[in-house]
Amino acid sequence: MKKLIAAFGLALLITGCNATTPEKPASKQAQYEAALKNAQAAVDKAASVGGEWRDIRWKKSKKKYLPSAIEAAKAGDYDKALKLLEIVQFQAEAGYKQAMAQKNAGPRF
Amino acid sequence: MKKMLTLLLSAGLAATATQAISGPKEDLEKFRTHFEQRFPGIQLDDFGNGPYALDANKRLQWEDMEEFPPYDVYVDKGREIWETPFKNGKSFASCFGKDASKVRPKYPHWDKAAGKVVTLEGDINKCLKANGEKPFGWKKGKIAHLGAYLGYEARGKKLNVVIPNDPKALQAYEEGKRFFYAKRGQLNVACADCHVYYPGQRVRGQLLSTALGQPTHFPVFRAKWAKKGKGDGMGTLHRRYGGCNKQVRARPFKAQSKEYRNLEFFHTYMSNGLEINAPGYRE
């Protein structure tokens, strides 16, 4: 029993330690890659129903959040990239929901 | 119970079926009534003058402008394009017929064989390709010059879009209608919000025109499109659609995309009976 508690404690210590060590660049990168995949899928889904908004990736947009995120990641700034992807994710999901909600839009008269 | 269900079901089906059949005509009547009630002092054809029908001061400035209209030179360019033979010796008349005044009133129309809405711009480029010529760009330049000439020649003739009683044509019409009434973009605004419910109001200093009458005067010379880097001022209807999608922060569709062709089908049908007064001048 004592042994067990000790083992458990050790395990806690290890995981605890792990959590407090600053994240390595590799894990930020993995986080970015996962977020990028999600965001791209969400954008494709919005586009498939004609609900894509202007500033996600359209070539003449001044913001181009998605290409900007990819650029930031290329330059190693994963924090910036993740922030931009959060906007992309939100806008893509909102655009999709909007298009769905407006599927039967018609005149009010 | 079963009987009741079939009764309900068939009643429902019958209702949707008749709705689909009588759709465009009823839509048009309601659309007209809306604008007649909203602007009882404006005659039908005057809606084709956009914001200038709604504001006396603007109208005076515009009438001055129309004495020496900046689009004249592009009408002449368009005439030249129309008359200049292709390398194979044929010309646009071989595709559209000799009478230039009869071209513009045919568009847009439903092409049963192709199962799609055909626009004037689409047929211009189709004609060029069929004759071994390079197609024009879709939104400005030569396509708009030729359109300006064909519009000018057709002045006074009425818009008369036919929505055939063909399920695919009706679907294209319905898609155009939905596009027009659907809120879109980050600002969540529909074409109809600006051009049906709030015409006469100002958006960023611009007076909103009525959707009724908008397609009569395209292509258009716009002062804004004559600024550096934007072109010579002339632009097509789909160029304008793109601009109006952009300003509500929606991603614009490509000129001549299915979305915009279907929109043009619905949008122009709503102005049936109004006189063509292309090309127009706008701010």
Side-chain angles (χ1 to χ4, degrees), chain B residues 205-221:
Chain B
Q206 284 185 295
L207 198 68
L208 285 169
S209 59
T210 56
L212 177 61
Q214 277 181 338
T216 60
H217 54 278
F218 275 83
V220 90
F221 178 95

Side-chain angles (χ1 to χ4, degrees), chain B residues 9-70:
Chain B
L9 269 174
S10 52
L13 278 179
T16 41
T18 45
Q19 219 173 33
I21 290 164
S22 60
K25 217 174 141 221
E26 269 178 19
D27 288 350
L28 187 131
E29 274 164 22
K30 287 186 187 152
F31 193 83
R32 271 316 136 77
T33 306
H34 168 80
F35 287 107
E36 278 166 15
Q37 290 176 346
R38 178 103 197 217
F39 301 103
I42 296 179
Q43 282 177 283
L44 189 58
D45 275 325
D46 210 17
F47 281 105
N49 295 323
Y52 311 116
L54 311 178
D55 182 296
N57 271 331
K58 280 199 174 246
R59 183 158 191 125
L60 288 176
Q61 291 167 16
W62 173 67
E63 280 171 354
D64 272 353
M65 185 65 85
E66 282 283 341
E67 284 187 25
F68 301 100

Side-chain angles (χ1 to χ4, degrees), chain A:
Chain A
M1 187 63 198
K2 237 187 199 168
K3 241 189 200 163
L4 211 102
I5 291 172
F8 193 66
L10 195 69
L12 256 182
L13 207 76
I14 291 166
T15 45
C17 259
N18 233 353
T20 47
T21 43
E23 281 180 72
K24 288 182 215 136
S27 75
K28 266 268 160 73
Q29 186 180 345
Q31 213 180 324
Y32 158 76
E33 276 162 10
L36 179 66
K37 234 174 118 184
N38 281 342
Q40 274 168 333
V43 173
D44 288 344
K45 193 171 161 190
S48 74
V49 294
E52 185 181 331
W53 291 357
R54 186 188 66 190
D55 293 327
I56 292 181
R57 60 177 176 180
W58 179 51
K59 65 177 192 292
K60 287 189 189 159
S61 159
K62 290 190 184 109
K63 301 196 177 91
K64 286 203 265 304
Y65 295 118
L66 184 56
S68 304
I70 294 169
E71 240 167 65
K74 264 191 201 140
D77 192 346
Y78 290 109
D79 284 325
K80 184 175 170 194
L82 281 164
K83 259 194 201 130
L84 290 167
L85 286 179
E86 219 173 278
I87 300 174
V88 172
Q89 188 78 30
F90 166 76
Q91 291 207 349
E93 286 174 9
Y96 177 80
K97 279 188 228 160
Q98 178 188 52
M100 287 295 108
Q102 296 293 311
K103 233 165 72 174
N104 297 314
R108 298 203 288 263
F109 45 74

Side-chain angles (χ1 to χ4, degrees), chain B:
Chain B
M1 183 61 202
K2 234 193 195 163
K3 238 192 206 159
M4 198 152 124
L5 216 80
T6 34
L7 206 84
L8 273 173
L9 269 174
S10 52
L13 278 179
T16 41
T18 45
Q19 219 173 33
I21 290 164
S22 60
K25 217 174 141 221
E26 269 178 19
D27 288 350
L28 187 131
E29 274 164 22
K30 287 186 187 152
F31 193 83
R32 271 316 136 77
T33 306
H34 168 80
F35 287 107
E36 278 166 15
Q37 290 176 346
R38 178 103 197 217
F39 301 103
I42 296 179
Q43 282 177 283
L44 189 58
D45 275 325
D46 210 17
F47 281 105
N49 295 323
Y52 311 116
L54 311 178
D55 182 296
N57 271 331
K58 280 199 174 246
R59 183 158 191 125
L60 288 176
Q61 291 167 16
W62 173 67
E63 280 171 354
D64 272 353
M65 185 65 85
E66 282 283 341
E67 284 187 25
F68 301 100
Y71 52 71
D72 260 1
V73 34
Y74 302 110
V75 172
D76 288 342
K77 280 192 177 180
R79 181 180 293 115
E80 212 178 296
I81 294 170
W82 174 261
E83 286 169 355
T84 308
F86 303 139
K87 285 192 276 311
N88 66 6
K90 291 189 186 171
S91 70
F92 280 104
S94 69
C95 300
F96 292 100
K98 282 211 179 84
D99 189 344
S101 75
K102 288 191 177 149
V103 181
R104 161 70 195 259
K106 289 185 204 153
Y107 295 93
H109 66 248
W110 179 252
D111 181 333
K112 192 163 192 272
K116 62 174 197 178
V117 174
V118 172
T119 62
L120 174 61
E121 288 81 9
D123 269 359
I124 287 174
N125 275 346
K126 194 174 154 194
C127 181
L128 285 169
K129 277 193 246 165
N131 284 288
E133 298 280 326
K134 213 175 134 227
F136 298 153
W138 288 121
K139 292 192 286 195
K140 54 185 178 186
K142 287 182 175 170
I143 208 157
H145 304 159
L146 182 53
Y149 168 65
L150 294 171
Y152 188 80
E153 288 295 306
R155 275 191 177 184
K157 292 196 158 70
K158 290 180 193 307
L159 290 177
N160 182 29
V161 177
V162 178
I163 316 278
N165 195 1
D166 162 339
K168 277 177 104 182
L170 285 168
Q171 192 189 334
Y173 167 86
E174 282 297 328
E175 278 172 21
K177 177 179 160 188
R178 233 176 294 138
F179 193 102
F180 183 81
Y181 286 104
K183 292 181 187 292
R184 64 184 65 247
Q186 195 181 6
L187 301 187
N188 200 38
V189 191
C191 310
D193 288 330
C194 286
H195 296 298
V196 173
Y197 303 119
Y198 290 102
Q201 314 269 345
R202 271 166 207 283
V203 169
R204 282 197 232 143
Q206 284 185 295
L207 198 68
L208 285 169
S209 59
T210 56
L212 177 61
Q214 277 181 338
T216 60
H217 54 278
F218 275 83
V220 90
F221 178 95
R222 259 189 101 190
K224 189 180 160 187
W225 287 342
K227 286 189 182 146
K228 227 175 120 190
K230 301 255 180 196
D232 58 19
M234 295 298 298
T236 62
L237 185 59
H238 290 203
R239 184 180 183 188
R240 185 76 232 206
Y241 286 168
C244 277
N245 275 164
K246 220 159 46 187
Q247 64 176 328
V248 299
R249 298 192 198 153
R251 181 184 177 152
F253 292 85
K254 291 207 165 80
Q256 301 302 323
S257 59
K258 185 180 176 200
E259 285 84 359
Y260 283 176
R261 280 184 290 106
N262 289 348
L263 174 62
E264 181 177 340
F265 199 38
F266 164 79
H267 188 211
T268 312
Y269 177 76
M270 286 295 125
S271 290
N272 263 3
L274 269 74
E275 280 183 6
I276 292 168
N277 57 350
Y281 169 84
R282 293 293 183 268
E283 270 172 32

